[in-house]
Amino acid sequence: MRKKKEKSKRLIIVSRLLFVLYMLCVLYFLLVSEGFGRTNGGVYRYNLEPLAEIKRFYNMLGGTRTYKAVLNLFGNIACFMPFGLFVPYIFKRKISFIKVVFTTFMFSLCIEVIQLYFMIGIFDVDDLILNTIGGALGYVVYAVLNIIRNED
């Protein structure tokens, strides 16, 4: 019993360290590497219409711009899957799917608002949708791993 408790404690510590590293990477790539003040021809672009960019990128699939479409659609999801996976591990008490999805949405919203305020990248409501889906899928992975781990 004691070994299981020690193993669980180590898992929490490792999860917290990996989460900090993950957060630093996300913040760097989404905020710093985009370059402050980046605009398109001097005009800052943003998208407030839900599903507009998702539809645009979906229509690119199968064409010459498939790579860009896949990178945008699945990149946003993949980027936030670790968030949904790590959040339940870093809290000692059980956290629900809804709380993880809400936390993912709020973190993504913070990033998008920072992008809007500092004109970094593009504020896109579709990024909020895709990022939140990524966090939800990350929680599903967490739940499956937790079931597998408890079967041992």
Side-chain angles (χ1 to χ4, degrees):
M1 185 69 148
R2 187 175 176 173
K3 281 190 177 201
K4 191 172 185 175
K5 197 169 192 169
E6 287 177 19
K7 189 176 180 181
S8 179
K9 200 172 192 176
R10 263 187 275 143
L11 181 62
I12 290 169
I13 292 169
V14 169
S15 296
R16 287 179 178 168
L17 290 173
L18 288 172
F19 184 72
V20 168
L21 180 62
Y22 162 77
M23 292 294 286
L24 290 172
C25 289
V26 166
L27 293 174
Y28 174 78
F29 286 113
L30 295 179
L31 299 176
V32 178
S33 71
E34 290 287 331
F36 279 91
R38 177 185 274 177
T39 59
N40 187 11
V43 178
Y44 183 73
R45 295 181 337 143
Y46 54 89
N47 171 39
L48 299 176
E49 182 184 339
L51 305 178
E53 288 296 303
I54 292 173
K55 287 177 191 172
R56 187 171 76 85
F57 284 114
Y58 178 78
N59 290 331
M60 285 183 192
L61 293 173
T64 58
R65 301 183 78 189
T66 296
Y67 177 75
K68 182 177 180 179
V70 168
L71 188 63
N72 187 285
L73 293 173
F74 298 107
N76 279 310
I77 292 171
C79 183
F80 277 77
M81 281 183 72
F83 190 87
L85 178 66
F86 283 128
V87 166
Y89 276 118
I90 63 172
F91 293 103
K92 289 183 181 176
R93 62 180 188 267
K94 187 166 170 62
I95 185 168
S96 71
F97 174 78
I98 297 298
K99 287 181 181 177
V100 170
V101 170
F102 179 74
T103 304
T104 305
F105 175 81
M106 293 306 293
F107 176 60
S108 179
L109 180 62
C110 287
I111 289 173
E112 293 296 322
V113 168
I114 290 169
Q115 286 181 328
L116 179 64
Y117 183 79
F118 289 106
M119 297 183 178
I120 308 165
I122 297 171
F123 178 93
D124 190 351
V125 71
D126 289 349
D127 286 350
L128 290 172
I129 295 168
L130 294 169
N131 296 346
T132 304
I133 290 169
L137 290 174
Y139 183 87
V140 170
V141 171
Y142 158 78
V144 169
L145 291 174
N146 210 26
I147 290 169
I148 293 169
R149 187 177 68 152
N150 287 334
E151 286 180 0
D152 291 339

